[in-house]
Every structure is written in structure tokens, then in C-alpha cells.
Amino acid sequence: MSDIAIRVEDLGKQYKIGMGPSNIHYHTLRDTIADTASAPFKSLSSRFHASKRKGGDQKTTKKDPQHGVIWALRDISFDLRKGKVLGVIGRNGAGKSTLLKILSRVTEPTEGYAEIHGRVGSLLEVGTGFHPELTGRENIYLNGAILGMKRLEIESKFDEIVAFAEVEKFIDTPVKRYSSGMYLRLAFAVAAHLEPEILVVDEVLAVGDAEFQRKCLGKMSDVAEEGRTVLFVSHNMSAILRLTEETIVLDKGKMELRAPSSKAVDYYLSSGFSQVGERVWAKDETSVATAPFHPSSLRIVDRFGRVANTVRSTEPITIEMHYSLEAPITGLRVGIYLTSAKGEHVFTSFDTDDSDLYDRFRVRQIGEYVSRCVIPADLLNEGRYILGVNASAFRIMRYFQDEQALTFTVDASGAPGTQWSEARLGLIRPRLEWRIEQDHAKVRVLTPGVPPILDGQPSGEYDHD
Amino acid sequence: MAQTEISTTQQEEVIRLQPSRGWTALNLPEVWRYRELVYFLIWRDIKVRYKQTALGAAWAIIQPFFTMVVFTIFFGKLAGVPSDGVPYPIFSYTGLLPWGLFAKALSDAGRSMVANRSMITKVYFPRLVIPIASVLSGLVDFAIGSVVLIGMIIYYNHIPIPSAQITPTAAIITLPFFILLALITALGVGLWLSALNVKYRDINYVIPFLTQFWLFITPIAYPSSIVPEQWRWLYALNPMTGVVEGFRWALLGVETAPGLMLAVSSTVSILTLISGMFYFRRMERTFADIV
């Protein structure tokens, strides 16, 4: 009767501040005793405010400090037809994960409802429940069971999973001895062989090395082609464009847009980043995970030394990464990724690519640093670009990565070929040195010998003179 | 997790996720559907338990055995605590064995939700699965510990002291019932504790205190016959009294079947389990948000 797989109506999720998923706060009995004493007054006042809210337009406020609550998600409604793949994009904290958590039944909504037609499998993380002491084989069974697979199902797919993860040799080794790459490959492999009717996937492709990511992406597109319904959250715009036809954009817990993916990605990229040519990281945003590396800002600077969101392709563009180290790091390299708005890679470059600099900065001491590079004039074509940063020690540690730290626009006015108002294909628009030569020799050879048989053609070449 | 109405029409499962309020149904069929997960979690606990220990599963014997030795020296010999005519070592060990099962099940279950928080925040499954698996995984240690008891009975039957002879009677077939009673009690209390522990980490401190306290109000080091007759019913409100007395009756053939005590203990135990399950279900919806 229905070809709807997921129906979401006015879905909302409220967190008490300090209770949210990222902000763990333990209650103690003492707190509760104190709260209980004041509870009658609080519940009275909240009831009063709730009734007021129903009528009023307060519904849109995301943060309501007076009541200590936060709406991680509000007024979300959409339908997803069977066999469709829907992308979900949005910045950190936009509510993507909360939406997936509700749909995968990890947490329940505060208001509204969602209806799910079919067996749901959710992948909010790979390797959930992996135990370091257990072997690869044992973890496949355990993880499979946690993800809702039946034992027979796991048995029948066991060889396929092992082959996909490329861990045949180590299948009877405890996973605590695995390299992080092997661990992630195995974790993803189990998850990838889950076969529910509806699949809910969070940022699980952002694991492993580039080659494995490609493999994961391939597996995901197989899943999509098999006609299963997929809800796919990603920061990877090229993955979104490749796997989905339609995408919803979330911002601050609200649904901003639902559109064909290319349009949604465009919208997201052009509106989502309000920073003007500069991305600043607050200290507490990164400090724990990235130590001892602390990013402070990434800037795009034009010819006049101004931070700019739009730069001209005919002028050199300076990119500056400001950061500090609170401990010396050996082999650190700080680099940028440049990607087009459609997710095509333009280039990757690191500050110690040059062998002299590589030798000089083998160990970077404690202090404040700026890594600066110049993208030469007349290189990029017009359009929107995404700048990502990476700070790592090769094959040792990735300290910090943000693949979409900043976006900027390249304006092509004055660039080669702009006398014709046409869009030029390609990511780059180099000023190539053309020469146009008239081939006199050819004419000379032709003239003295045989008299021209066809009058018009050879003589036509002389018309230019 | 959420209040779900599952209806199957033309082999299609429709789940409605919406806010739930107040007390909700236990939804035990859903737990049954996830029985394989219970099995795998028990299997994981057992596999991992004695990894990287020098003595391995011997720990399952060492703990009750040495407690028994200490009890025998201090309570049996020095304090002269009576033991219902059974050699004191066997008497105390038959108490320590189910007690070990109960205490481990209780503390594991009480900590289980917090210990498995990474799973709770990432994957859906009926949350009841976790404490149930923690309780059941204690059975392996119990089985290993039982070997020692069998050894002790054989030993006492071969030494020439007539009063120490132990001949198991037909009552031994009731043993599984007492094991079940211990598990039900542990699960009931464990459910309360695990649900509370998600919100109040005080429970981590309550658990050791509670098990220690409970040990003393259970007739392990002493027989319940030292409790005055008119207070026995009150004493039996502790379900572990029924379990330990039942064990001694089933294995050692002491006195008569602990009828009244058992009735009281079973009732309390079952009430604890039912209330624990409902409380757990009620709190369940907030687990992923606050754990």
C-alpha cells in the first residue's frame, strides 16, 4: 500500500544543557535532592512557559538558556520513498547525528514522530562493541550480533567480510594487536555486510586510508544500487553527490532545504560558511583531540594583504595556517587540500614538501607558527573552492584534519578568455603562452612546383595577410 | 527504546517512534528476538574475563575456597559458630557458592549499563539484554566453583568420621530452582542499580557496600537456625536466605525443606524482579542521552 520507507513528522529533540551527548555530566544523588526541593517551583514555571510557547513563535528559538534546554532538532518533516538514497548535510551541531539517533532508535524524540517501514540497520559508528582482547574472528561475530545480524547470517558472510577487510592472516589475532588501519577495515567490513531494508549511515566513510575510503564508497554505492533505502550523513560532498539524488540541509536543528543533491551541496557550501575568508578554531573546540597541535586560524589573503572571501584568479592568493605547538613534534607537516565545490580534488600540498624545509623543520619546537603558501596567479578557474587542512606526521599520527575548513570564491574577471562570456570547463585556468605562427614554408613549397589544381584552397591561406 | 508500536502487515514491519511517557510495557518478545545478542554478550564476558591473568579460571575457585578457609578458622573453630551438624568447611562453602554467583551477578549487572555505554549510544537493541547477559555470565564461575564442592563432599565421605558423611538425597533435583532464585534476585536488584547508575554514579560506591552488608545478613557463616523462630519470616525477606538454606537442604540434607522461608524469599525476589524491570523500562528512554 505504501511505498514510503521513512516518514518524519514535526520531529524534535530537546536536550537539557549539560546533558547532551557531547557534554557528559553526571548527576549525583545530592544534586537530585537539591533539585527535588526546588522542583515544584520549576515545574510550575516551565508549565507556564510551555503553554506560552505553544501559542507564540518561540518555537524557532534554538537555545533557551532560561530553561536550560537546547533543541538539537526541531520541526523536521520529510518522507523518504523506498529504494531512494537521501543525503543529510549540515555543519557540526546542525542536528544530523541527533536525527540519525532517533531514526535508529538509540534515543527517542521529544516531540513529533517518525514512522519506519522495514527493518532498520544503523551505522552510527563502525566497530561498536569491538573488544580489544578478542580475535578478529570473535569480534566479527560479536559486532555482527550487536548490529542485529543473526548468527547464521554472519556465518554465511564471514569469508566475504574477512576478504573485504583484507585481514585473512590475522583473523585469529586479538584486535588489540591490529594496526589502526586493519582495525577500521575490519570494523567497516562487518558493518558493510549488514543487509537491512533501510540503512542509516553516519560519517563512517571518513575512516582509513584513501584507498580504503574508495573501497568503502564503492561498497556504499553497491548498497544504493541494490535498491535499498539509505539515509546517508556525510561531510564528504563528493560522496554525497555520488551516492545520493536528493539531499537535505540541516542548520541549527532546522531543515533548511531539501533539493536535488547538486543544488543542496551548492546551497550548503555557499551559505553554510559565513566566515569571510577566515576560519578560526576556538581553543576548546579542538584542544583535547589534537594536542599537542592547536590550530588557531586559516586565512585566505589577497594581493593587498587583506583577508578575503573572494579572490581574483589573475592575482596570487596567499593561504596562511596559524597554529601553536605545546610540545615539540617530529616530522610534522601542515598542509592544505584544495577541492572544488563538486568534490573534485585540485591539489594537496604540505609545508615541508620542499626538501630544504623538510630538513630544517625535522623537529618543530614549542611555539606559535604560521605556515604560508602562495597559489600563483592565473591558476584556478572561476568557481567555489573548499580549502581543507591537515597536520600530521607521516604514517605516525594525524593531529588535526578538517577537510572543509573554509570555502572561497575565485573570480575570473580579467582572466584569459574572458572576452567571451562563456564558462570554461576545468578546474584550472592557466594563462598559457600561445603562439600563432604563419607557416610560410608550406606555402613556398606549394607555389614553385606544380601549378595549383584547385585555385581556391591554397590561395585562401594568403587571405590573412 | 522509544515507545514503539510494531505491527506487521504483509511481512512489513512498521515502527512508530514517538515520545513515551510514564510506565511502559516490558516488551519481552523484543528481548526474546535479541536472544542471540544475549548469548554473544555472555560469550564475550566469559572469553575476556580471565584474559591476561596468570591463574586464569582458577580465580573462580580461589576466591570462594580461601573465604571458606578463613571462615572455617575464625567462625567455625575460634568463634565456635554452629553448622547444623555438617562439617563447617562444607557448611560455609555451600553458602559461599551461591553467594558468589549472586554477588558477582549483582555487581556486574549494576555496572553493566555504564560499562557498555559505547554500545548504548550507538546501536539500538532492547537494553534489558545487557543486565540479563551480565547476570547469566556468572554461571560459568559458579560451575567451576561447584567442582570444589563435589571434591569436598567426596573427601568428607572418605574420612572415617561418621557424622561427616554426606549422602545427597533426591532433594538435589531442586537445586536448579535455587540457582534460578539467586539469579532472579540478582537481576531484580541489578536492574534497579543499573538504571540508577546511568544517572547517579553514586551507585558505583553503593554496590560494594551493599554486597558486603548483604553478606552479613545472609546465613553463610552461620546457620539461620540461630535466628529466633519468631523472627525467621522477617529474616527470610532477604531472598538470599531462601537460596542459601535451599542449597544446604538440597545438597547436604540438613533439617527439613525450608518451606515458609522459601515462600517469603521467592515472593520478595519475584517482586524485586518485576519492579526492577518496570523501573528499568521507564528509565531506558533517557539512557542514551545521559549515560
Side-chain angles (χ1 to χ4, degrees), chain B residues 123-149:
Chain B
V123 186
Y124 166 79
F125 51 86
R127 306 310 189 199
L128 271 171
V129 160
I130 289 182
I132 289 174
S134 315
V135 165
L136 292 179
S137 72
L139 280 172
V140 175
D141 283 13
F142 174 78
I144 297 169
S146 306
V147 176
V148 176
L149 181 65

Side-chain angles (χ1 to χ4, degrees), chain A residues 265-277 308-311 338-344 346 380-387 406-411 427:
Chain A
V265 167
D266 260 4
Y267 174 85
Y268 169 67
L269 289 176
S270 52
S271 72
F273 298 86
S274 52
Q275 291 98 341
V276 190
N309 182 36
T310 302
V311 282
L338 191 71
T339 324
S340 75
K342 286 186 184 140
E344 300 144 305
V346 183
L380 297 176
N381 199 354
E382 65 189 320
R384 248 187 122 62
Y385 290 85
I386 306 164
L387 194 59
L406 194 57
T407 62
F408 64 96
T409 306
V410 172
D411 180 85
L427 294 170

Side-chain angles (χ1 to χ4, degrees), chain A residues 60-93:
Chain A
T60 50
T61 41
K62 189 200 173 206
K63 205 168 172 179
D64 199 351
Q66 206 187 338
H67 303 109
V69 296
I70 213 167
W71 284 95
L73 211 59
R74 197 99 202 246
D75 297 335
I76 305 290
S77 302
F78 65 87
D79 283 349
L80 180 57
R81 303 235 318 274
K82 282 188 180 145
K84 294 282 176 194
V85 182
L86 183 69
V88 180
I89 55 180
R91 313 185 57 187
N92 290 336

Side-chain angles (χ1 to χ4, degrees), chain B residues 194-261:
Chain B
S194 62
L196 284 165
N197 198 11
V198 169
K199 201 168 178 191
Y200 307 107
R201 298 297 151 96
D202 304 67
I203 299 302
N204 281 331
Y205 304 98
V206 169
I207 289 170
F209 169 70
L210 181 70
T211 47
Q212 193 187 29
F213 176 76
W214 206 319
L215 174 70
F216 293 121
I217 59 162
T218 304
I220 292 166
Y222 56 88
S224 63
S225 55
I226 66 168
V227 175
E229 189 81 45
Q230 70 270 32
W231 297 113
R232 295 259 172 94
W233 65 272
L234 185 66
Y235 188 60
L237 285 179
N238 166 13
M240 285 309 287
T241 305
V243 171
V244 170
E245 287 302 317
F247 255 71
R248 288 194 180 131
W249 172 70
L251 282 168
L252 311 176
V254 294
E255 24 174 292
T256 46
L260 173 73
M261 263 190 167

